[in-house]
Amino acid sequence: MKSEAYLFGGVAVFFLLTDAVYILLAREPAGIAALTVSCFMASVISFFCTVNYRRKGLRPEDRPTAEIHERAGRIDFFPPESGHPAVTALGVTVTAIGLVYGAWLFAIGFGIFAIGLLGMVFEFVGREGD
């Protein structure tokens, strides 16, 4: 993850420098906001990769002497089909429409969204998978 951290750190620095030049020359708020947000997003990814590298060390694919069998075995648990993403999407849609039509529809949409989100988060808690 060290190389990825450097890569996204470089992207963040690029967006920071571009943003600074854009602020001086263009003074256009939408472009400034977009470049600032891009810098922050690249910084977050770089920070995540740095923390992950410090916590877990080198991965097999980071070492030139690594063998293929070092990545063998079970990778992770991947859930089967679930209806919760559709409920969450419906909740987000109704919430967005509620911004236009009123607080009552927003509250209903937020409730649907919360049910779907909590369902996705807690659906497989305690299960190991096969």
Side-chain angles (χ1 to χ4, degrees):
M1 288 255 163
K2 192 174 191 179
S3 57
E4 290 94 340
Y6 286 142
L7 174 72
F8 282 103
V11 170
V13 168
F14 169 76
F15 280 126
L16 180 68
L17 295 175
T18 306
D19 194 21
V21 170
Y22 199 81
I23 288 170
L24 292 174
L25 299 179
R27 290 193 168 96
E28 191 261 323
I32 292 170
L35 288 169
T36 303
V37 167
S38 298
C39 175
F40 287 147
M41 287 191 302
S43 299
V44 166
I45 296 171
S46 177
F47 176 73
F48 169 77
C49 291
T50 302
V51 168
N52 219 13
Y53 168 72
R54 287 186 180 164
R55 188 170 7 134
K56 296 181 180 180
L58 287 174
R59 300 172 299 176
E61 48 276 2
D62 293 334
R63 293 182 279 121
T65 59
E67 297 290 328
I68 293 174
H69 67 83
E70 292 182 51
R71 272 290 185 195
R74 184 167 179 219
I75 296 174
D76 206 349
F77 170 71
F78 298 99
E81 295 179 9
S82 173
H84 294 293
V87 173
T88 304
L90 175 69
V92 169
T93 304
V94 174
T95 301
I97 293 172
L99 289 173
V100 175
Y101 289 109
W104 64 273
L105 191 57
F106 180 86
I108 292 170
F110 191 78
I112 295 170
F113 168 71
I115 290 168
L117 183 66
L118 290 173
M120 279 196 304
V121 169
F122 295 114
E123 183 174 14
F124 297 104
V125 170
R127 293 188 189 175
E128 287 295 319
D130 299 341

